[in-house]
Amino acid sequence: MASIYRKKGGDIWYYGITYQGKRYQGTTKTTDKKSAQFIAESMQTDLAREKHNLPVLNKNINSFGDLFQDYLKNIINSSRTIQVKQWISIHFLPVFKDKDTTSITQSDIKNYQL
């Protein structure tokens, strides 16, 4: 079973999973409890799938533009908030749209900010 916890005095949630007698733990990198629980359960599912030689269910979204479009489809906000996010994206999307999400570095972001 996947469990979540916070360290004393901290805001970030961590997960703890015991699967087939082995303990897995790490950070969920979020302060939202509901998101942390979802991440922990997803990690437990991925562990089980890997142990039984089943493919891990992930969407191989490679480009930043695809990831951003997926984000817009799945956020739960008012339509006005979504419109604002789309409007703001006209500034950064042309720069990062076709970049692979794993290749975007901190220096790329700093260069964009300049």
Side-chain angles (χ1 to χ4, degrees):
M1 164 130 180
S3 62
I4 58 171
Y5 60 93
R6 285 190 290 195
K7 293 184 178 178
K8 189 175 182 178
D11 293 331
I12 302 291
W13 287 95
Y14 293 82
Y15 66 87
I17 300 168
T18 303
Y19 184 76
Q20 292 185 339
K22 190 170 179 185
R23 180 91 173 137
Y24 301 87
Q25 7 184 125
T27 179
T28 63
K29 299 181 182 177
T30 184
T31 57
D32 180 54
K33 185 177 182 178
K34 194 172 191 177
S35 295
Q37 187 63 46
F38 178 77
I39 291 167
E41 290 169 1
S42 295
M43 294 194 70
Q44 181 176 353
T45 300
D46 288 349
L47 276 171
R49 294 185 69 77
E50 287 175 8
K51 293 285 185 182
H52 296 286
N53 295 321
L54 296 170
V56 175
L57 301 175
N58 62 2
K59 301 177 182 179
N60 293 317
I61 297 176
N62 293 328
S63 75
F64 181 83
D66 292 341
L67 182 65
F68 186 73
Q69 290 304 317
D70 192 52
Y71 164 75
L72 288 177
K73 287 178 195 169
N74 292 308
I75 58 174
I76 303 171
N77 282 333
S78 70
S79 60
R80 178 70 180 135
T81 302
I82 294 170
Q83 287 174 346
V84 168
K85 289 178 188 266
Q86 287 173 327
W87 182 78
I88 291 170
S89 73
I90 65 171
H91 300 289
F92 62 81
L93 214 48
V95 176
F96 296 109
K97 182 178 182 181
D98 296 324
K99 280 194 155 252
D100 187 318
T101 54
T102 59
S103 71
I104 297 173
T105 63
Q106 195 171 21
S107 64
D108 291 332
I109 296 168
K110 288 187 185 249
N111 289 337
Y112 164 73
Q113 289 173 330
L114 293 173

